[in-house]
């Protein structure tokens, strides 16, 4: 059976609609349904000078690619101009996320790919919103999710995400390291078809603490946590110094790297493959991937937006959905 992925087009004034129009010009290997206002896509296609024929989801002629796009229509609250934010459209963006999540649970599609949103607009319209990840976590009713970014040949997950650096050490508890590692290990199996994942784990301090001379977090917290996980059968190497972990010597035999904080792991990954990386949420019963960039309001409607990350997110999302389906059917 064909994998069907829903794309939420994100902030309508940003580059999300541009990216959707761009991928519609290609030959796609996955069935795509874009959740947005069809008028926004038509206007953006006209601005970009690209051909686009829209089909409503569920119609007999619905298809995507080669100039066509299937749409699940949601009407914006305020007319959209590329690059100009409208607070009134914050609730529209959240509605597209709700429809996307419900469609995963009722079987309309096999996963969600999200284009970037503008958190400020959503909060300004009166909806408390901290991000896609938290929204889908709460929708699915799970306590813990894990953020992982991936290119074709590198996966990096995070123990902590958006924290000030001064708070990171206290947040890297043994309990959190174990919870995140278990989710990462389980989802590499379930969604990526890796039977026995090998995970590299970074230390927190320079040189992984230098035997306690540069910090004791490795000795007191990280190593005991990793030893417990190894006793459970999780295949881990580390803690390794972060400045040598991301080298071919280690990466060539690993399936993922686990970094302790955001700017320890993600700069490496983005330098390695920015514009070709996908943001993945692990720990949920549904598939969710996303682009690795923001709304880029200054590029909206200019024809300069690069759809490489969205194509990667589609490819990874399709891979995850296919592996999940195989596991369920077996």
């Amino acid at each position: 059976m064909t994998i069907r992925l829903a794309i939420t087009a994100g902030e309508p004034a940003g580059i999300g609609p541009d990216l959707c129009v761009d991928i519609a010009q290609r030959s796609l290997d996955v069935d795509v349904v874009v959740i947005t206002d069809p008028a926004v896509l038509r206007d953006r296609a006209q601005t970009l000078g690209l051909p686009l024929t829209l089909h409503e989801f569920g119609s007999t002629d619905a298809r995507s690619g080669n100039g066509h796009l299937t749409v699940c229509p949601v009407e914006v609250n305020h007319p959209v101009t590329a690059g100009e934010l409208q607070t009134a459209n914050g609730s529209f963006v959240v509605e597209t996320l709700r429809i996307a999540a419900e469609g995963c649970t009722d079987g309309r599609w096999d996963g969600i790919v999200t284009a970037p949103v503008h958190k400020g607009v959503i909060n300004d319209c009166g909806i408390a919103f901290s991000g896609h990840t938290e929204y889908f976590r709460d929708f699915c009713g799970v306590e813990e999710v894990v953020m992982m970014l991936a290119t074709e040949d590198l996966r990096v997950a995070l123990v902590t995400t958006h924290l000030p650096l001064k708070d990171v050490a206290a947040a890297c508890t043994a309990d959190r390291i174990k919870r995140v590692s278990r989710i990462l290990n389980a989802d590499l199996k379930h969604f990526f078809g890796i039977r026995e994942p090998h995970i590299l784990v970074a230390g927190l301090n320079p040189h992984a603490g230098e035997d306690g001379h540069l910090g004791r977090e490795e000795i007191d917290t990280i190593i005991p946590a990793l030893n417990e996980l190894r006793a459970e059968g999780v295949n881990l190497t580390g803690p390794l110094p972060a400045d040598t972990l991301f080298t071919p010597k280690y990466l060539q035999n690993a399936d993922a790297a686990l970094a302790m904080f955001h700017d320890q792991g993600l700069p490496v990954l983005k330098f390695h493959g920015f514009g070709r990386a996908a943001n993945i949420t692990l720990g949920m019963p549904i598939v969710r991937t996303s682009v690795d960039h923001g709304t880029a309001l200054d590029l909206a409607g200019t024809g300069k937006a690069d759809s490489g990350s969205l194509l990667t997110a589609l490819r990874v999302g399709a891979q995850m959905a296919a592996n999940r389906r195989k596991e369920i059917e077996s």
Side-chain angles (χ1 to χ4, degrees):
M1 294 177 63
T2 302
I3 296 296
R4 176 182 295 142
L5 298 177
I7 300 177
T8 55
E11 166 53 50
I15 62 170
D18 301 54
L19 302 180
C20 293
V21 171
D22 181 73
I23 67 165
Q25 311 306 312
R26 304 167 185 265
S27 179
L28 300 174
D29 295 328
V30 60
D31 190 9
V32 168
V33 180
V34 179
I35 305 175
T36 192
D37 192 324
V40 173
L41 293 176
R42 289 192 189 96
D43 289 348
R44 200 63 56 87
Q46 184 175 10
T47 299
L48 297 172
L50 295 172
L52 185 66
T53 301
L54 299 180
H55 309 268
E56 186 166 342
F57 176 65
S59 62
T60 56
D61 63 344
R63 60 192 186 277
S64 292
N66 301 314
H68 296 259
L69 205 53
T70 300
V71 181
C72 179
V74 184
E75 189 174 348
V76 294
N77 300 319
H78 190 283
V80 174
T81 300
E84 298 181 12
L85 295 172
Q86 295 291 340
T87 302
N89 284 331
S91 59
F92 153 81
V93 173
V94 175
E95 177 66 4
T96 67
L97 302 184
R98 183 192 67 79
I99 293 170
E102 287 190 349
C104 271
T105 58
D106 65 23
R108 277 177 286 172
W109 29 79
D110 300 294
I112 305 165
V113 178
T114 58
V117 300
H118 193 286
K119 296 177 187 177
V121 166
I122 297 173
N123 282 281
D124 287 346
C125 82
I127 300 173
F129 184 85
S130 54
H132 281 112
T133 302
E134 294 79 8
Y135 180 89
F136 291 123
R137 176 199 65 196
D138 294 344
F139 180 91
C140 292
V142 297
E143 293 185 7
E144 185 100 63
V145 292
V146 173
M147 178 180 177
M148 182 173 80
L149 268 74
T151 63
E152 288 188 2
D153 55 357
L154 178 62
R155 302 183 186 97
V156 179
L158 303 176
V159 173
T160 64
T161 53
H162 301 119
L163 287 178
L165 192 57
K166 66 182 179 62
D167 298 331
V168 168
C172 289
T173 63
D175 184 55
R176 181 166 183 81
I177 291 168
K178 288 184 288 186
R179 294 197 315 268
V180 170
S181 298
R182 289 175 185 133
I183 291 171
L184 175 58
N185 184 63
D187 280 5
L188 287 172
K189 295 178 181 179
H190 299 326
F191 291 120
F192 291 89
I194 302 170
R195 184 166 297 183
E196 296 182 3
H198 176 207
I199 301 167
L200 306 178
V201 182
L204 175 67
N205 296 298
H207 301 179
E210 196 78 67
D211 295 324
H213 296 288
L214 295 177
R216 292 194 55 85
E217 284 83 4
E218 286 75 14
I219 294 172
D220 296 339
T221 303
I222 299 174
I223 291 174
L226 299 190
N227 285 339
E228 277 194 51
L229 291 163
R230 291 187 183 102
E232 298 172 9
V234 183
N235 184 12
L236 303 166
T237 296
L240 297 169
D243 63 349
T244 55
L245 182 157
F246 295 101
T247 58
K249 171 185 175 181
Y250 292 108
L251 292 176
Q252 63 186 352
N253 296 313
D255 298 298
L258 180 60
M260 290 293 137
F261 57 97
H262 187 282
D263 280 14
Q264 182 183 60
L266 296 195
V268 178
L269 184 134
K270 292 193 176 186
F271 177 78
H272 178 70
F274 187 74
R276 297 179 290 107
N279 187 338
I280 303 159
T281 305
L282 304 177
M284 301 191 300
I286 64 175
V287 172
R288 182 259 169 165
T289 65
S290 183
V291 295
D292 66 353
H293 55 74
T295 54
L297 294 167
D298 57 324
L299 298 181
T302 67
K304 296 179 181 179
D306 185 347
S307 60
S309 183
L310 180 58
L311 290 168
T312 300
L314 283 169
R315 178 184 57 78
V316 173
Q319 176 191 7
M320 293 174 66
N323 283 317
R324 179 173 181 267
R325 183 182 292 177
K326 288 178 184 176
E327 185 177 62
I328 292 172
E329 291 175 349
S330 64

